[in-house]
Short mmCIF file of all heavy atoms in Angstrom, two decimals:
data_model
loop_
_atom_site.label_atom_id
_atom_site.label_comp_id
_atom_site.label_asym_id
_atom_site.label_seq_id
_atom_site.Cartn_x
_atom_site.Cartn_y
_atom_site.Cartn_z
N HIS A 13 2.36 2.26 8.49
CA HIS A 13 2.76 2.47 7.10
C HIS A 13 4.29 2.45 6.98
O HIS A 13 4.85 1.85 6.07
CB HIS A 13 2.17 3.78 6.58
CG HIS A 13 2.42 4.01 5.14
ND1 HIS A 13 3.07 5.10 4.67
CD2 HIS A 13 2.07 3.26 4.05
CE1 HIS A 13 3.14 5.03 3.34
NE2 HIS A 13 2.55 3.93 2.96
N LYS A 14 4.97 3.08 7.92
CA LYS A 14 6.44 3.11 7.90
C LYS A 14 7.00 1.71 8.11
O LYS A 14 7.95 1.30 7.48
CB LYS A 14 6.96 4.07 8.96
CG LYS A 14 8.42 4.33 8.84
CD LYS A 14 8.86 5.48 9.70
CE LYS A 14 10.29 5.85 9.35
NZ LYS A 14 10.66 7.13 9.91
N ARG A 17 6.60 -0.23 4.88
CA ARG A 17 7.61 0.20 3.90
C ARG A 17 8.98 -0.31 4.25
O ARG A 17 9.74 -0.71 3.38
CB ARG A 17 7.62 1.73 3.79
CG ARG A 17 6.40 2.25 3.07
CD ARG A 17 6.47 3.75 2.87
NE ARG A 17 6.29 4.39 4.17
CZ ARG A 17 6.92 5.47 4.59
NH1 ARG A 17 7.79 6.07 3.80
NH2 ARG A 17 6.68 5.99 5.77
N ASN A 18 9.30 -0.38 5.54
CA ASN A 18 10.57 -0.93 5.96
C ASN A 18 10.68 -2.41 5.52
O ASN A 18 11.72 -2.81 5.00
CB ASN A 18 10.74 -0.82 7.48
CG ASN A 18 12.04 -1.42 7.94
OD1 ASN A 18 13.13 -1.02 7.49
ND2 ASN A 18 11.96 -2.38 8.81
N TRP A 21 11.18 -2.44 1.58
CA TRP A 21 12.46 -1.96 1.06
C TRP A 21 13.66 -2.68 1.63
O TRP A 21 14.70 -2.79 0.97
CB TRP A 21 12.62 -0.46 1.31
CG TRP A 21 11.73 0.37 0.45
CD1 TRP A 21 10.69 1.13 0.88
CD2 TRP A 21 11.75 0.48 -0.98
NE1 TRP A 21 10.07 1.74 -0.21
CE2 TRP A 21 10.71 1.35 -1.36
CE3 TRP A 21 12.56 -0.05 -1.97
CZ2 TRP A 21 10.46 1.70 -2.69
CZ3 TRP A 21 12.31 0.30 -3.30
CH2 TRP A 21 11.28 1.16 -3.64
N ASP A 59 2.18 2.75 -5.63
CA ASP A 59 3.58 3.06 -5.39
C ASP A 59 3.92 2.84 -3.91
O ASP A 59 3.09 3.10 -3.06
CB ASP A 59 3.89 4.52 -5.76
CG ASP A 59 3.79 4.76 -7.24
OD1 ASP A 59 4.14 3.88 -8.02
OD2 ASP A 59 3.31 5.83 -7.63
N ILE A 60 5.11 2.44 -3.68
CA ILE A 60 5.60 2.30 -2.30
C ILE A 60 6.55 3.48 -2.09
O ILE A 60 7.56 3.59 -2.78
CB ILE A 60 6.34 0.98 -2.09
CG1 ILE A 60 5.39 -0.18 -2.28
CG2 ILE A 60 6.97 0.94 -0.72
CD1 ILE A 60 4.28 -0.27 -1.27
N LEU A 61 6.19 4.33 -1.17
CA LEU A 61 7.05 5.49 -0.89
C LEU A 61 8.41 5.04 -0.36
O LEU A 61 8.51 4.04 0.35
CB LEU A 61 6.38 6.39 0.14
CG LEU A 61 5.14 7.14 -0.28
CD1 LEU A 61 4.55 7.87 0.91
CD2 LEU A 61 5.45 8.10 -1.40
N PRO A 62 9.44 5.80 -0.67
CA PRO A 62 10.74 5.53 -0.04
C PRO A 62 10.63 5.71 1.46
O PRO A 62 9.71 6.38 1.99
CB PRO A 62 11.65 6.60 -0.65
CG PRO A 62 10.96 7.07 -1.86
CD PRO A 62 9.49 6.90 -1.60
N LEU A 63 11.56 5.13 2.20
CA LEU A 63 11.51 5.19 3.66
C LEU A 63 11.61 6.60 4.18
O LEU A 63 11.10 6.89 5.26
CB LEU A 63 12.63 4.32 4.25
CG LEU A 63 12.41 2.84 4.16
CD1 LEU A 63 13.65 2.10 4.63
CD2 LEU A 63 11.21 2.41 4.96
N ASP A 64 12.27 7.49 3.46
CA ASP A 64 12.46 8.85 3.97
C ASP A 64 11.31 9.78 3.60
O ASP A 64 11.40 10.98 3.85
CB ASP A 64 13.78 9.42 3.46
CG ASP A 64 13.83 9.52 1.95
OD1 ASP A 64 12.98 8.91 1.27
OD2 ASP A 64 14.73 10.21 1.43
N GLN A 65 10.21 9.27 3.08
CA GLN A 65 9.04 10.10 2.75
C GLN A 65 7.82 9.58 3.51
O GLN A 65 7.74 8.40 3.86
CB GLN A 65 8.74 10.04 1.26
CG GLN A 65 9.73 10.73 0.37
CD GLN A 65 9.27 10.67 -1.08
OE1 GLN A 65 8.10 10.48 -1.40
NE2 GLN A 65 10.24 10.84 -1.97
N ASP A 66 6.90 10.49 3.76
CA ASP A 66 5.64 10.12 4.38
C ASP A 66 4.50 10.55 3.47
O ASP A 66 4.66 11.46 2.65
CB ASP A 66 5.46 10.79 5.74
CG ASP A 66 6.26 10.10 6.83
OD1 ASP A 66 6.14 8.84 6.92
OD2 ASP A 66 6.97 10.77 7.58
N VAL A 67 3.36 9.93 3.63
CA VAL A 67 2.15 10.36 2.94
C VAL A 67 1.91 11.79 3.37
O VAL A 67 2.01 12.10 4.55
CB VAL A 67 0.95 9.45 3.33
CG1 VAL A 67 -0.33 9.97 2.73
CG2 VAL A 67 1.22 8.02 2.92
#
Side-chain angles (χ1 to χ4, degrees):
H13 187 238
K14 190 168 190 166
R17 287 184 290 142
N18 179 58
W21 289 114
D59 292 323
I60 297 295
L61 290 175
L63 287 173
D64 62 346
Q65 290 183 21
D66 281 311
V67 174

